[in-house]
Amino acid sequence: MNIFGQDIAFWAATAGATTIKLLTSPFHSFTRACMNVFAAMFSSYVFTEPTLDWLGLDANTYRYAIAALLALTGEGLMRLAIQIVNDPTRVIAFLRAWRGMK
């Protein structure tokens, strides 16, 4: 059974990661929870294949793990990208922090 071109195991991994994300996050409003679920599903659906290709990983082995990781981190990465676009000086601060510079 395929839903939007992905098998049920892909969606189960995404739903499981999304559920864990919602259960472990601080209390949010219903609207915020819905947006988190949308961001997790969107990130998993759109970025799984490109991430597998970029990292050079075997799709048959790592597809579900990457989908779950993207569901867990997708919303945070989207928020970071929006913050960087709104304030480009954050890129410099991020790169310095990542490299351990002050």
Side-chain angles (χ1 to χ4, degrees), residues 52-71:
L52 287 168
D53 288 341
W54 183 55
L55 295 174
L57 298 173
D58 178 38
N60 293 327
T61 305
Y62 295 104
R63 176 184 321 278
Y64 308 129
I66 295 295
L69 286 173
L70 287 170

Side-chain angles (χ1 to χ4, degrees), residues 4-5 13 19 30 37-38 48 69 77 80 83 97 99 101-102:
F4 296 115
T19 302
F30 179 74
V37 169
F38 174 77
T48 296
L69 286 173
L77 293 173
L80 177 65
Q83 289 173 354
R99 290 184 179 179
M101 298 169 33
K102 293 188 179 193

Side-chain angles (χ1 to χ4, degrees), residues 80 83-85 87-97:
L80 177 65
Q83 289 173 354
I84 288 171
V85 168
D87 184 9
T89 60
R90 296 186 121 233
V91 174
I92 296 167
F94 175 75
L95 291 175
R96 284 184 178 165

Side-chain angles (χ1 to χ4, degrees), residues 39-59:
M41 296 292 190
F42 177 82
S43 298
S44 182
Y45 179 72
V46 171
F47 296 116
T48 296
E49 292 298 324
T51 302
L52 287 168
D53 288 341
W54 183 55
L55 295 174
L57 298 173
D58 178 38

